[in-house]
Amino acid sequence: FFFVFCCSNGSMSNSTNRDGSDEIAQGLSINWMSMSDAYSGQEMWKSEDWAAQDIWGKELAARIPKEILGCKAVSRDINFSSKHKMEKFRVEQKVLLNDQVIEEWTFV
């Protein structure tokens, strides 16, 4: 099972936004992500430490154990931190299978 994680700060431009979003994005760190069996709580996979990496605009690939497909439900935890106060923060997550979106979540 293969998973790709892509991070975007929304603008992805080299110019500075007037609203300060580029500065906020530079201070945001996605520390790690994990996937667990939602019923038992058993952790099935956890990423390496992403906090020190420059992840914006890049895809992070992960090999997820195929046993996770046997779970009736999977919980995904994303741990992040920010150096700046964030307003109107949202996370969009898409799950793809054979290059087709099979799940899409927006967390506001």
Side-chain angles (χ1 to χ4, degrees):
F1 185 54
F2 189 70
F3 180 77
V4 177
F5 188 77
C6 183
C7 301
S8 168
N9 67 3
S11 68
M12 296 308 298
S13 68
N14 291 330
S15 62
T16 302
N17 290 335
R18 288 185 202 161
D19 64 1
S21 60
D22 286 339
E23 182 181 349
I24 291 168
Q26 290 299 319
L28 179 68
S29 293
I30 299 176
N31 302 316
W32 52 263
M33 180 176 170
S34 67
M35 294 183 178
S36 302
D37 181 316
Y39 290 101
S40 72
Q42 178 186 0
E43 188 174 87
M44 306 293 286
W45 173 83
K46 187 171 182 177
S47 71
E48 60 190 55
D49 181 7
W50 288 341
Q53 298 181 36
D54 177 21
I55 61 174
W56 296 111
K58 297 179 182 174
E59 290 183 347
L60 303 174
R63 299 241 176 243
I64 310 299
K66 65 181 177 183
E67 290 78 19
I68 204 165
L69 297 173
C71 298
K72 291 182 180 181
V74 176
S75 67
R76 295 179 288 262
D77 296 313
I78 301 172
N79 179 278
F80 62 90
S81 56
S82 177
K83 293 180 184 176
H84 307 283
K85 179 181 176 182
M86 295 185 292
E87 295 179 10
K88 300 179 184 176
F89 179 73
R90 105 177 160 222
V91 174
E92 294 178 6
Q93 185 177 37
K94 294 180 183 180
V95 178
L96 289 86
L97 179 65
N98 297 323
D99 294 325
Q100 292 195 317
V101 176
I102 60 170
E103 248 181 59
E104 189 168 353
W105 298 89
T106 300
F107 304 94
V108 181

